[in-house]
Amino acid sequence: MRMQKSVWRLNQPNDHHYISCDKQDLGPGVLINGDIHGLLKYVDNIQFQSYCDNNLPVYMATKLTNECSYRYLDSVYSDWERYITTVNSVGGSFQYSIYAVVVSLTANFVITIILSVLIFINIRDKPHVRASRLLKFGALIASINLTIFVIRALKKLSWEHKSKGIVTTYYIMKLFTEDPTFIVLDFLSILIFQLCQVGIVIRLFERTQEKRIIFLVGVLLALLNNILWVIPELAMTTGKVYEAWDILPPFVYLFRIVIVASYACIVVSFIIKKRNFCFRTAQMTLLTLLTVLTVLLLPGFFVADISDIWIEDLAEIFTTTCYVGSTVIVWEWLERLSVVQRNDRAQSVLGRPIFEDEENEYNFAKYALRVQSALARNEASDNTDEGSNTNLASSISGEHFQGTSKVPEVRIDHTSSSTLSKTDTTTVDSGSVDQVKFNNKKSFNDVAQENVSTALKKMVYFTDQIVTKSFGKNALNSSSKSSGGSNERKAIVRKRIGSDRPNEVYVYNTKDVVFESDDDSDSELQNNEHDQRNESEEQ
Amino acid sequence: MRWLNIRSIVAFLLTVIVVFQIFPVISIPITNSIILSSHEGLSYGVFGWCVTEPGMEPQCTRTKIGYDSSDPAILGHSLFLPSSSKYSVTKLLVVHPIALTLTVILWAMSLIITLSRMGTSPSFILLTACVSLLAFLFSLFCFLVDLLLFKLALRWPGWLMFASTVLIAVCCSLLWSLRRTVSIQKYESLRMGSEEEGNRSNSIITRVSSKKDKINVESYEMSNMDRLSSMAASANLSYIEPQLAYKGSIV
C-alpha cells in the first residue's frame, strides 16, 4: 500500500527481489485451461510469470494451500511467505494489506455521513448564517465525495476479484491520486472546512480589529494552502512529472500540519482561558474533551507518522473526516459555550463586554451630538442675528468660512481615528492674509497617502461586512442556542396582533357607547317619530 | 520592579529565542561542534552533512541549501536520512534561516517597543504582533521539517526549535494583550481629551450666546486643525462628512 503522492518520502526503492515476479522456464508440460481449444495442450517450453503489482506479490483470491492437488509453484509460495513477513511500507504484512484500507475507508465514510447528518439536524442557521450554510455545504460535498469514492473503490475490488482473481490496494490508491472528481471535491470540501475554521477562530475573539486580522490572515493561509495542494495533484492526473515540483508535496503536507497545529493551539488556549465555563457541567466537560481530541487528531497523525510511515497513508484517508470532525464538533461546542457565557453575562448591566474599538465610535457620536446640541442652542439664541455665523467664524481666527445654516448630519465612521476629518471643501476668502487654504493642490505624497488610506478603509469595510454578516458579532441580539425563547416571543407577538388563529372568524359586538346626552337626543327623536306616526294614523 | 512589564518580558523572551534559533543555523558544516542530527556515522546540519569517524576530522559537504549526495568533498560515502525521505526534501531546511530572520526582525521591533515611544503606538504594536504570527508559523515549520527528516535522531539544537516555538507563542499572546492594553490606554486618553475639548467648546458657546457679537476666541489655545474644525462646526458651519461612512446616520 503506497500512495503516489507520498512517494517523496521513500528514498530507497524496494530492495526485495521476488523470483515469482520474473519469467520462469518450466520446461515441457501440459497446459489445462478453458481458453485452450480442447482444454489440453502439450507445450515444449512453458514460461510462467506470477501476477505482481509493481514487482511485489499480490494476494490471490484462489486457494493457496499445500493440500490442494493443483497448487502454485513453490517459488510463489516462498515469495508470498517472505512478502507477508516484511513489516514495512514495501512489505505485505496485515497492517499494509487491503483489509486496513477497506476498514479505514468504510469507517471514514460512516463517520463523515453521521457528522453531516448531525450538521443538518443540529446546527441552526442563525446567527452565523453564512458560516453555518458554508459548513453544511462543505459537509454535503464531503459526503458526496466519499460516497462516490467508496462505490468506485468497491467496484474496482469487484472487478479485480472477478477478472484477475487477485485483491490489491493499487487501484484504490490510484483513485486517491488520479481521480479528478475526488481531487476536485476533496479540494473544495477541505477549503470550505478551513474557511469554517477561520470562522470559528473569529468567534473565539471578541474585538473587531482582531476579527479583521484573523479573517484576512486565515483566508489567505487557507487559499494558499489549498491552491498549493491542488497544483501537484492535478498535475499528477495529467501523467506529467515535474522535477521542479519535487519539493511542493512535502511543503504542502507540512504547511497543512502547521495550520492545523495553529488551529489546535488557539482552541486549546481558549479552553484554558475559559476553563470555568468549559468544565462547568458534565456534558460541557465531555464535549470539551471531545473537542480537544478532534482538534489534536491531525497533528496527532503527524506525530504517529514520525514513528511509522504506515500511519501517514491512513492519515491521508482520514483527512476529510478529521476536518469535518474538527470543524463540526468545535462549532457545536462553541454554540453550547456561548449559551453558558450568555447566561452569565445576562446578569451584567450591558449584557456583554464593550471594547474600546467599539466604544470609539460611540465616543465620536457623542461628541458629534454634543456639537449638534450646541448648534441648536446657538441657533436659538442667535435667531435674530442672521449674520452672526459668519462673524463668529471670522472672529475665530481671522478667517472667513463659508458655512451653511442647516444643522449638520453627523455620521459614525467606523474606520476613522479619533481625530475629526479635516474640512477639505470648506472655502475661504482669497483676500485674507492669514487664511488657511484648504483647497490647495495636494502634493504627491498627500495624494498617495490618501489613496492608500482609502484603499485600506475599503478593505476594512469589506472585511467587516463579511465578518459581521457571515460570522456575526457578539451582539446583544444574537439569539441563544435554545430557540424556545425566540419562538415564545414570536408566539406572544403573534397572539397580541391576532395572527395566531387566522382561520377563526370573530363576531364583534358593535354596540355603540351611549352617553347620557345621546340618550336625551335619542328619546327626543323617538318622541318625534312617535308623534309623526300618530299624526299619520289620525289622518 | 518597574522594568518588569510586558514589553521587557517580550524583549527578554525574544532574545532567548534568537539565541535558540541561531544554534541550528550555525550547525555542521558551519561549525564542527553543533550537530542538528546524527545517525550511523553521519552528522546533519541545516546547510550540509558530514561524515564523522571517531578520532578523525569530519568530512563535510559544501555549505548550501539541500543535501547533495554526490559532493566531491565526501566521495565514497553514501547519504541516507534517518527518515528514508528523498534528498530533495532537505531543501525545506531553508526555513531555518527564514525563521531566524523573522525572529531577529521581531526582536528588533520588541526592542523598539521597549526602549522608544513607539511602545505606546497601537499600530506599531499591531504590526509587531502580526510579525510574531509569521515568526510562530515559520518556527513551527522548522521544527516539523526537522522532525520529518531526522525523526528521533534529532539532537538538542533541533529540540531548541520546539522550545522557541512555544516561547514565540507566548510572546505572540503577550504582544496581542499589549496591543489591547495600549489601545485601551489610548482610548482613555482620547476620551479625557474629548471631554476636556467638549467643556471648552461649551464655554465658548456660552460666551457667544451672552455677547451676541464678535468674540475674540483667539485667547483659547487652538493647537491643531482638528480643534479649529470643531470650532467651525460649533459655529454652525458645514460639517463635512468623512469619505467613508457606512453606518446609519445619527441626526
Side-chain angles (χ1 to χ4, degrees), chain A residues 8-9 11 209-210 213 246-247 302 306 356 359-360 367 375 392 404 410-411 413-414 418 420 425, chain B residues 84-88 91 126 151 179-180 183-184 187 190 197 230 233 236 239 244 246-247 250:
Chain A
W8 55 270
R9 311 198 58 188
N11 188 35
Q209 199 167 23
E210 288 169 8
I213 289 166
D246 218 15
I247 202 171
F302 173 78
I306 299 302
E356 76 284 350
E359 186 63 13
N360 267 340
Y367 181 69
L375 283 168
L392 173 67
T404 56
V410 182
R411 291 167 187 263
D413 185 1
H414 280 241
S418 59
L420 290 168
T425 56
Chain B
S84 308
S85 298
K86 279 189 174 177
Y87 305 140
S88 59
K91 284 178 186 167
L126 180 67
K151 289 192 167 182
R179 191 202 72 80
R180 290 172 189 171
S183 179
I184 290 167
Y187 166 70
L190 174 75
E197 193 173 302
S230 72
N236 203 7
Y239 192 88
L244 192 68
Y246 58 89
K247 202 169 179 179
I250 298 172

Side-chain angles (χ1 to χ4, degrees), chain A residues 268-303:
Chain A
V268 171
S269 63
F270 183 77
I271 289 171
I272 294 168
K273 191 177 156 193
K274 303 274 180 183
R275 56 189 177 278
N276 291 335
F277 293 114
C278 294
F279 300 103
R280 184 168 282 183
T281 59
Q283 194 190 32
M284 273 307 292
T285 308
L286 274 175
L287 199 58
T288 305
L289 292 176
L290 192 63
T291 302
V292 173
L293 192 71
T294 49
V295 296
L296 290 176
L297 213 54
L298 271 175
F301 269 123
F302 173 78
V303 174

Side-chain angles (χ1 to χ4, degrees), chain A residues 513-525:
Chain A
V513 179
V514 179
F515 295 97
E516 288 178 3
S517 55
D518 290 339
D519 280 342
D520 297 339
S521 60
D522 281 348
S523 58
E524 281 175 14
L525 277 172

Side-chain angles (χ1 to χ4, degrees), chain A residues 86-279:
Chain A
T86 309
V87 187
N88 61 28
S89 59
V90 290
S93 60
F94 181 75
Q95 61 184 3
Y96 295 96
S97 68
I98 186 72
Y99 309 109
V101 177
V102 170
V103 168
S104 307
L105 272 181
T106 45
N108 192 23
F109 171 69
V110 169
I111 294 169
T112 307
I113 294 289
I114 288 174
L115 286 174
S116 301
V117 170
L118 273 177
I119 290 171
F120 278 93
I121 291 173
N122 215 28
I123 290 180
R124 294 173 307 108
D125 274 354
K126 288 180 180 178
H128 314 288
V129 182
R130 289 186 190 168
S132 59
R133 283 181 188 166
L134 197 66
L135 185 61
K136 285 173 184 172
F137 183 59
L140 191 68
I141 289 180
S143 302
I144 292 170
N145 190 26
L146 281 174
T147 310
I148 294 171
F149 186 81
V150 167
I151 291 169
R152 284 189 177 177
L154 289 176
K155 274 187 175 177
K156 285 282 178 194
L157 285 175
S158 166
W159 171 77
E160 269 189 331
H161 182 83
K162 284 176 186 170
S163 63
K164 295 184 177 177
I166 55 161
V167 182
T168 64
T169 55
Y170 175 75
Y171 289 105
I172 296 180
M173 293 296 127
K174 209 175 170 187
L175 275 180
F176 266 110
T177 53
E178 293 181 11
D179 184 14
T181 314
F182 177 79
I183 290 168
V184 170
L185 289 178
D186 198 38
F187 164 74
L188 279 177
S189 61
I190 288 178
L191 176 65
I192 288 170
F193 283 122
Q194 283 188 341
L195 291 176
C196 289
Q197 287 179 354
V198 173
I200 287 170
V201 177
I202 285 173
R203 286 181 67 185
L204 299 182
F205 290 84
E206 294 179 310
R207 287 158 195 264
T208 315
Q209 199 167 23
E210 288 169 8
K211 281 175 189 282
R212 278 180 206 144
I213 289 166
I214 290 163
F215 174 77
L216 290 173
V217 173
V219 170
L220 187 75
L221 285 177
L223 286 175
L224 193 69
N225 178 25
N226 283 285
I227 289 168
L228 287 178
W229 176 80
V230 85
I231 288 171
E233 295 285 330
L234 289 177
M236 224 177 272
T237 58
T238 60
K240 292 177 184 172
V241 178
Y242 298 93
E243 289 295 329
W245 290 357
D246 218 15
I247 202 171
L248 203 53
F251 175 79
V252 175
Y253 171 66
L254 289 177
F255 192 40
R256 198 171 261 189
I257 300 292
V258 166
I259 290 176
V260 293
S262 308
Y263 176 66
C265 279
I266 291 168
V267 173
V268 171
S269 63
F270 183 77
I271 289 171
I272 294 168
K273 191 177 156 193
K274 303 274 180 183
R275 56 189 177 278
N276 291 335
F277 293 114
C278 294
F279 300 103

Side-chain angles (χ1 to χ4, degrees), chain B residues 163-177:
Chain B
S164 57
T165 305
V166 174
L167 289 177
I168 288 181
V170 173
C171 284
C172 192
S173 172
L174 286 174
L175 279 168
W176 282 104
S177 85

Side-chain angles (χ1 to χ4, degrees), chain A residues 3 53 96 116 124 200 203 258 294 307 313 315 331 391 419 446 474 498:
Chain A
M3 285 189 190
D53 170 20
Y96 295 96
S116 301
R124 294 173 307 108
I200 287 170
R203 286 181 67 185
V258 166
T294 49
S307 57
D313 288 332
W331 185 282
N391 293 336
T419 57
D446 289 341
N474 285 332

